[in-house]
């Protein structure tokens, strides 16, 4: 009896230590690998022939050194904050930036391209990198990393890395609702299913290539972007609730996809990171987060400017972007990015800490 008791005690104690051990193994996120669009592009578009760029002032004016890196904000973007929160590094560099090499990319790399989408056609509109090509660049990166560190060490890094996918807004706002092509072919529900299928293939593919810890990011309340409000002049620049509903519906489909893939792909640890509710809370109650402006962006008149229209000589640009939820008519300010990233880290991503 006494023996049984001590045996079970030993069992409990060793189970306890095993748990701690496993927790620590999980904690080894030593690299952040990013796929997506302008929400997470760290400057890849600087090196491709597109007009959709932001590597000039006033972009980056609150970034270290006031440097316009090609991030679509006044400062850092969410993936930079997430990388910092995991104790990796303060910014995740763009893969196409020749200022960085494979040594830098071993602790995090960004393949995102502003203006792209799940749908190949979305990337063609502004001649940016399609998602399948981000994947091709990732495969090339794997080869380079193996060459640099040796296969074993490289594979260890690739398995333990946190993969972040943030994409989809352009499929709806720049493609489906802006041009006739996709609307003629798909209802909005069919189009969402089409995109979800692409997301499924993409995640399956990076899983096959070795990714295990993956965060799929949902859509923001995209009907509240200042640019969309501007197209809603008749209603006094209110949020376009139709677009918000599309974002919510699509997020539901992504959430379901995440749960399906967690069942199908053994050993995968896939989470759905949904910025919608937190972002909507900020939009509804900007003052409680210290913001003074939500319907207009900081840059220019705050109604339509982004990329080249948001330029250094625009006299209307605000002085303090921290008072603005949005930096340009399509992208959050650094402060909003920080809040959204902190929310993601303390909720869904905390499982990887
Ligand atoms: C997108 O384009 C790539 C490259 O041409 C192709 O392999 C892929 O099947 C296309 N995706 C869809 C959903 O059509």
């Amino acid at each position: 009896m006494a023996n049984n008791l001590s045996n079970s005690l030993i069992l409990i104690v060793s189970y306890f230590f095993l748990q701690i051990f496993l927790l620590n193994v999980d904690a080894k996120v030593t690299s952040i690998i990013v796929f997506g669009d302008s929400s997470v592009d760290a400057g890849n578009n600087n090196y491709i022939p597109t007009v959709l760029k932001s590597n000039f002032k006033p972009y980056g004016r609150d970034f270290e050194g006031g440097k316009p890196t090609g991030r679509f904000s006044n400062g850092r973007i969410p993936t930079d904050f997430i990388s910092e929160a995991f104790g990796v590094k303060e910014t995740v560099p763009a893969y196409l930036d020749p200022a960085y090499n494979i040594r830098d990319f071993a602790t995090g790399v960004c393949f995102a391209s502003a203006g792209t989408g799940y749908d190949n056609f979305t990337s063609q509109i502004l001649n940016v990198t399609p998602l399948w090509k981000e994947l091709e660049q990732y495969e090339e990166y794997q080869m380079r990393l193996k060459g640099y560190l040796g296969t074993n060490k490289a594979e260890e890094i690739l398995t333990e890395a946190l993969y972040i996918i943030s994409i989809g807004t352009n499929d709806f706002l720049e493609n489906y609702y802006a041009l006739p092509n996709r609307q003629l072919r798909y209802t909005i529900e069919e189009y969402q299913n089409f995109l979800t299928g692409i997301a499924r293939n993409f995640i399956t593919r990076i899983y096959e290539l070795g990714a295990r810890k993956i965060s799929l990011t949902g859509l923001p309340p995209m009907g509240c972007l200042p640019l969309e409000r501007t197209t809603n002049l008749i209603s006094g620049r209110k949020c376009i609730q139709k677009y918000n509903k599309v974002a919510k519906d699509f997020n539901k489909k992504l959430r379901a996809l995440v749960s399906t893939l967690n069942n199908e792909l053994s050993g995968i640890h896939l989470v759905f990171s949904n910025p919608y509710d937190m972002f909507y809370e900020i939009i509804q109650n900007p003052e409680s987060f210290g913001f003074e402006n939500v319907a207009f962006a900081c840059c220019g008149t705050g109604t339509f400017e982004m990329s080249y229209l948001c330029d250094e000589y625009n006299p209307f640009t605000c002085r303090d972007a921290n008072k603005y939820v949005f930096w340009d008519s399509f992208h959050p300010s650094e402060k909003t990015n920080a809040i959204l990233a902190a929310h993601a880290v303390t909720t869904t991503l905390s499982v990887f800490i």
Side-chain angles (χ1 to χ4, degrees), residues 29-99:
V29 168
T30 49
S31 170
I32 309 283
I33 297 176
V34 183
F35 298 101
D37 59 18
S38 62
S39 58
V40 291
D41 184 354
N44 284 310
N45 276 21
N46 305 353
Y47 307 98
I48 60 170
T50 174
V51 294
L52 193 62
K53 295 187 199 293
S54 62
N55 53 342
F56 39 80
K57 290 177 183 172
Y59 284 96
R61 71 180 192 188
D62 298 307
F63 196 84
E64 203 192 332
K67 196 173 169 224
T69 57
R71 286 170 175 79
F72 280 76
S73 191
N74 55 306
R76 288 192 287 163
I77 48 180
T79 35
D80 296 322
F81 289 107
I82 291 168
S83 174
E84 186 180 25
F86 276 93
V88 182
K89 52 186 175 184
E90 285 175 20
T91 55
V92 181
Y95 185 63
L96 300 182
D97 189 338

